Amino acid sequence: MPSTAKDYFNLMAKPTVEDFINNPHDLRRGLLSALILNHMVDHLAQEDEIATERCIMNKRVNFKRREMLNDCPDFQLIWDIADATKHAKLANQKRKVSASSQISSTPGLFYAPFGEGTFGEAVVVFAVLEDGEEKPLLPVIKSAFEALQSKVIT
């Protein structure tokens, strides 16, 4: 099991995100990327810290999340998607996404109803935000990945 944030990044985050980048139409890979990137913050927050009471560890993680949000505003969507994926529905309506049903992908040629799919049509994994905007997941994943990568390397 990885013992440092860098180990976790190299073992879990990097290959998972690269897998989604190489298969950007795959909803499962997109959701796994969001989950892994969201938890990368936990590993950064607990780096070089001793295990202690849960409330103290939560404070460290919350501090690191706020730091991430300042450095990478796209991280909010990653956080929301990860939580919605894990919990199905979220009570906090201040989220950009509050239910797992808001995350989807366009059907590919072989999955669209007869006569609706076209050859060469882009398949996109996206989230429908609370305000109705459709936001593609790939650019958000890349943005958060790069921000987290810079924290692991430095």
Side-chain angles (χ1 to χ4, degrees):
M1 188 62 195
S3 60
T4 66
K6 185 175 183 178
D7 290 343
Y8 182 83
F9 181 84
N10 288 323
L11 179 69
M12 301 295 293
K14 187 176 182 188
T16 302
V17 169
E18 287 174 347
D19 198 22
F20 178 53
I21 290 169
N22 292 329
N23 300 281
H25 58 281
D26 191 309
L27 179 61
R28 181 186 62 83
R29 287 179 169 117
L31 295 175
L32 287 172
S33 293
L35 286 163
I36 292 292
L37 292 176
N38 185 52
H39 288 292
M40 184 68 226
V41 173
D42 296 53
H43 286 266
L44 287 168
Q46 302 302 340
E47 185 87 60
D48 299 324
E49 299 287 349
I50 59 169
T52 186
E53 296 174 19
R54 184 70 186 164
C55 64
I56 294 171
M57 292 192 301
N58 284 345
K59 285 181 184 178
R60 290 182 200 148
V61 171
N62 288 336
F63 178 81
K64 188 58 76 174
R65 284 193 192 289
R66 299 293 166 225
E67 184 182 287
M68 265 306 294
L69 290 171
N70 286 333
D71 295 345
C72 178
D74 281 339
F75 187 74
Q76 183 66 59
L77 187 55
I78 297 296
W79 185 1
D80 293 349
I81 288 172
D83 279 357
T85 298
K86 180 180 177 188
H87 302 290
K89 294 183 181 177
L90 305 174
N92 185 346
Q93 295 303 318
K94 293 182 182 180
R95 304 271 195 153
K96 292 184 176 204
V97 170
S98 62
S100 61
S101 61
Q102 291 174 255
I103 308 142
S104 187
S105 66
T106 54
L109 175 63
F110 300 107
Y111 299 100
F114 184 73
E116 290 184 22
T118 60
F119 185 73
E121 179 179 32
V123 177
V124 177
V125 176
F126 63 94
V128 178
L129 306 185
E130 291 298 323
D131 65 5
E133 176 188 358
E134 289 186 6
K135 184 99 172 171
L137 187 55
L138 185 59
V140 176
I141 292 286
K142 286 180 176 181
S143 173
F145 177 76
E146 289 168 7
L148 286 162
Q149 185 175 33
S150 71
K151 291 183 179 302
V152 171
I153 291 171
T154 57

